[in-house]
Amino acid sequence: MPAFTATAPGKTILFGEHAVVYGRPAIAVPVLQIQARAVVSADPLGQPGAVRVLAPDVGLDAWLDELDHEHPLKRTITNVLNELQVERLPACSLRVSSSIPVAAGLGSGAAVSVATIRALAAFLGHPLKDERVSALAYEVEKLHHGTPSGIDNTVITYAMPVYFVKGQTIEILQPGSHFTIVIGDTGISSPTMGAVRDVRQLWLADPHRYEAIFDSAGEIVRRARVCIENGMLQALGPLMDENHALLEQMSVSSPELDRLVRAARQAGALGAKLSGGGRGGNMIALVHPERGEEVAKALQEAGAVRTWISTV
Ligand code: PMV
């Protein structure tokens, strides 16, 4: 039975989350050791249109017709069919699995969308260009995030470090040297939509103050880009610390995130900050490669439920 498989990596935002929703730049990188996988298999005995959707990780096993129109997987499939002007799928099953923790700021929703779009398009014999994959995944991101900037679907589709400004052509970053980050997961599930909504409330109440904070974040991102492209890692760490302080002012940090950030710095990280939506989810620390294990251990002792060491 022919089966079409696609995978997509996790991601982490190095600089600029939240401010990116307001037009400032942000930098994100793929995290290749965690990924989502989608497999579409033809069912030669099934009726046309009979599509089984399976996602054992979240206990989903249903016919496509039974899913609500707002269900992210249903929306993803519908978007692909509309894009390819296909009215009905041949009988098949879609099986989705993922090693990316959900609602942890590691891009699980976007990775599932990207993998599903690619597997389905291949199954239908019309592989899509990256630009279209990202655009279709962005439509689904709106269900997860409300007003997403588009950074998650972009970095995950291209699986390369990106310098991202909402609505502009993406720029792939070429780091001047390898660098190592340690990711620490608080284990606290925190939907991005809530944090994005709260920042919007603060901004609406005091636009002058928050525009200034977003400007400062944007400036940090521009400086970070220069450091990354020129391999100036020593200078990158303090920029992470500065970005974390701004995220605290945006009210998206939490005692658990602050504890992990402090623990990483004390264990010798060059800098550390929360990453993604905040309130829970994960944080990142920039480290000398030989310090990675030590910082990961310090994060676990400070309460991280999982850690990853990732080389960019
Ligand atoms: O998906 P997360 O939680 O890594 O965060 C997305 C980043 C935000 O800037 C908070 C929102 C967005 O759409 O850019």
Side-chain angles (χ1 to χ4, degrees), residues 12-307:
T12 188
I13 297 181
L14 294 189
F15 293 96
E17 51 276 269
H18 285 289
V20 70
V21 175
Y22 299 82
R24 275 51 167 205
I27 294 173
V29 296
V31 180
L32 302 173
Q33 61 263 64
I34 46 176
Q35 62 175 22
R37 169 185 297 265
V39 183
V40 180
S41 309
D43 175 3
L45 302 177
Q47 297 288 328
V51 179
R52 197 77 191 164
V53 182
L54 305 146
D57 300 343
V58 292
L60 176 68
D61 180 352
W63 293 105
L64 180 60
D65 288 347
E66 294 168 356
L67 296 181
D68 190 87
H69 284 292
E70 297 292 286
H71 191 287
L73 282 175
K74 174 123 174 189
R75 185 67 80 83
T76 308
I77 294 169
T78 310
N79 288 352
V80 174
L81 295 183
N82 290 343
E83 173 82 9
L84 298 176
Q85 299 182 346
V86 171
E87 217 158 279
R88 207 154 49 153
L89 273 169
C92 64
S93 67
L94 163 68
R95 178 179 283 270
V96 173
S97 56
S98 174
S99 56
I100 309 172
V102 176
L106 291 166
S108 91
V112 165
S113 299
V114 167
T116 301
I117 292 164
R118 287 201 171 123
L120 211 51
F123 172 70
L124 291 168
H126 293 283
L128 291 165
K129 290 204 162 79
D130 284 346
E131 197 189 327
R132 292 309 306 155
V133 171
S134 185
L136 294 178
Y138 177 68
E139 290 306 312
V140 183
E141 283 292 282
K142 289 182 187 166
L143 295 177
H144 294 295
H145 286 190
T147 53
S149 63
I151 191 167
D152 282 17
N153 47 284
T154 302
V155 63
I156 286 169
T157 298
Y158 291 89
M160 303 275 259
V162 297
Y163 181 86
F164 177 88
V165 182
K166 189 176 170 180
Q168 293 187 11
T169 316
I170 70 148
E171 294 179 59
I172 304 289
L173 277 187
Q174 299 290 353
S177 64
H178 290 294
F179 60 97
T180 303
I181 52 172
V182 183
I183 304 171
D185 185 358
T186 60
I188 297 168
S189 148
S190 168
T192 301
M193 197 188 251
V196 170
R197 188 191 49 226
D198 293 352
V199 173
R200 185 164 295 276
Q201 294 303 332
L202 291 171
W203 174 69
L204 287 171
D206 192 349
H208 190 70
R209 169 157 187 241
Y210 285 89
E211 282 293 324
I213 293 174
F214 299 151
D215 278 342
S216 304
E219 194 43 47
I220 288 172
V221 177
R222 280 184 276 274
R223 281 157 53 202
R225 177 188 188 155
V226 175
C227 293
I228 291 172
E229 288 181 331
N230 294 294
M232 296 150 58
L233 301 187
Q234 210 64 35
L236 203 55
L239 293 177
M240 280 193 176
D241 295 342
E242 279 182 50
N243 199 164
H244 185 74
L246 293 174
L247 289 160
E248 283 182 300
Q249 290 181 45
M250 293 178 212
S251 84
V252 295
S253 194
S254 70
E256 296 81 7
L257 283 165
D258 288 340
R259 188 165 60 234
L260 295 188
V261 164
R262 262 197 315 273
R265 290 176 189 155
Q266 280 162 10
L270 299 169
K273 62 181 274 295
L274 74 85
S275 172
R279 298 271 164 81
N282 69 82
M283 50 69 68
I284 54 172
L286 180 72
V287 296
H288 286 302
E290 64 279 7
R291 270 278 159 85
E293 293 292 346
E294 208 173 310
V295 170
K297 190 159 164 278
L299 289 175
Q300 285 155 17
E301 280 165 9
V305 295
R306 273 169 295 220
T307 55

